[in-house]
Amino acid sequence: MSSGEGGDATRRSVASKMEKTQRLLQHPQLAKSVPATRWLNEESLAELLRKHRMVYVKPDVGRMGIGVMRVERTGSGWAYQSGEKVRRFATRSGLYRSLAKRIGDTPYLVQRGIRMLEHEGRPFDFRLMIQQDRSGAWACNGTAARVAHPAKIVSNGSQGGTIFEPMRLLAPAFGQTEAEALLRRMDRIALQTAGELGRSYPALRELGLDLAVDTSGKPWILEVNTRPDPCPFTKLDDPAIIRRIVEYGKGYGRHYKLICNKAKKAP
């Protein structure tokens, strides 16, 4: 369920999404920002679809958006999207059988779907980079907005996502002042997340926090990465951001290979 050696005190990474989710749910404030998440089975899928009509299913251990699927109730039945392909079903049980065949024995989660903000009809979310300095204090060192490929449901750069400056997308949606306040709120969530996971796993030195913002302006924690890829931050206009991330990484022995050809920079 996890990577790293030894007990929680020495683990430098935590692979299980469910394990990290359960830790965050112990924090009263963060728990309000965590979408309902269950181990995937036919009953949990039915429960969350009844409540929310749209959910995401994702491998408990995975990266780069690989294996993530969106499942939703449609006017005439049910559907799920994997990659660019949408599969449709007359019954929920038929949909689940197809999902189960595709997933096999891989442990999967089902998570409440968040109706994210969109840019030109494409959903977008945010990656925040949180790192410890040499004194052990956490800092938010960068925020990048990630717009999904036009035909896909995930925003990862490795899946063809496009990287934008956050204010370029938030200001048109909320206005300059409210957008700036929202970014500060996201930073607070990031630091609370680092504090909570840092108490559980004191050897952690960096986190990549994926946040979605719904149409009402509420941020939601989609997942936390303990070995985050800094590539999105190479696509931002300000080169000082990636320099700061690299410098912090050196402080705890992390050296990044900044070969970042998959994510696109916003035009």
Side-chain angles (χ1 to χ4, degrees):
M1 288 182 61
S2 58
S3 60
E5 299 179 355
D8 288 350
T10 59
R11 288 164 64 183
R12 296 295 293 267
S13 64
V14 184
S16 168
K17 294 180 175 67
M18 181 60 89
E19 183 178 349
K20 288 174 282 191
T21 296
Q22 290 172 339
R23 298 285 185 174
L24 295 182
L25 288 172
Q26 296 173 9
H27 189 289
Q29 290 301 116
L30 290 175
K32 300 174 184 178
S33 299
V34 178
T37 306
R38 310 276 189 272
W39 289 109
L40 176 64
N41 54 48
E42 191 164 6
E43 292 73 26
S44 63
L45 180 66
E47 174 199 351
L48 291 189
L49 280 172
R50 275 196 304 269
K51 291 181 178 178
H52 307 295
R53 294 185 64 85
M54 188 265 285
V55 301
Y56 284 82
V57 297
K58 58 179 73 174
D60 181 48
V61 176
R63 56 191 300 268
M64 299 189 298
I66 297 169
V68 177
M69 292 172 273
R70 183 173 65 197
V71 184
E72 56 191 324
R73 185 79 162 95
T74 66
S76 58
W78 309 86
Y80 74 81
Q81 182 172 352
S82 174
E84 299 183 28
K85 187 168 184 179
V86 179
R87 293 170 171 81
R88 302 184 186 279
F89 303 85
T91 65
R92 192 180 62 224
S93 59
L95 177 144
Y96 182 77
R97 285 194 297 271
S98 177
L99 279 176
K101 183 177 180 181
R102 172 178 288 270
I103 291 167
D105 295 330
T106 304
Y108 255 69
L109 311 178
V110 55
Q111 185 178 74
R112 170 188 173 177
I114 304 302
R115 299 289 179 182
M116 303 180 195
L117 297 173
E118 294 185 349
H119 172 70
E120 297 179 348
R122 298 154 61 187
F124 64 87
D125 61 12
F126 301 87
R127 163 62 62 87
L128 284 77
M129 188 75 169
I130 318 147
Q131 298 171 281
Q132 271 192 352
D133 65 17
R134 294 178 188 272
S135 72
W138 289 101
C140 295
N141 283 335
T143 301
R146 309 182 304 178
V147 178
H149 180 282
K152 296 186 178 181
I153 59 164
V154 294
S155 62
N156 303 68
S158 58
Q159 299 281 340
T162 303
I163 307 303
F164 281 74
E165 298 289 336
M167 285 300 293
R168 186 172 164 190
L169 301 183
L170 288 176
F174 299 110
Q176 185 80 13
T177 300
E178 190 173 342
E180 290 173 352
L182 179 55
L183 284 175
R184 290 193 295 271
R185 183 180 178 188
M186 291 162 61
D187 279 354
R188 288 195 298 271
I189 291 172
L191 292 174
Q192 288 175 330
T193 298
E196 183 64 27
L197 291 181
R199 281 188 289 274
S200 299
Y201 312 102
L204 293 182
R205 297 291 178 264
E206 61 182 13
L207 298 171
L209 177 64
D210 293 342
L211 286 178
V213 176
D214 67 22
T215 52
S216 73
K218 177 178 178 176
W220 293 88
I221 298 172
L222 300 181
E223 61 183 70
V224 187
N225 302 273
T226 56
R227 290 284 288 179
D229 180 2
C231 275
F233 303 98
T234 68
K235 308 298 181 181
L236 298 177
D237 293 338
D238 184 359
I241 294 174
I242 190 63
R243 287 201 298 267
R244 183 167 62 243
I245 289 171
V246 169
E247 188 62 29
Y248 266 67
K250 288 178 181 176
Y252 46 81
R254 182 95 192 269
H255 299 279
Y256 307 107
K257 296 179 180 179
L258 297 178
I259 303 171
C260 305
N261 299 323
K262 293 182 179 180
K264 301 177 180 66
K265 178 179 172 61

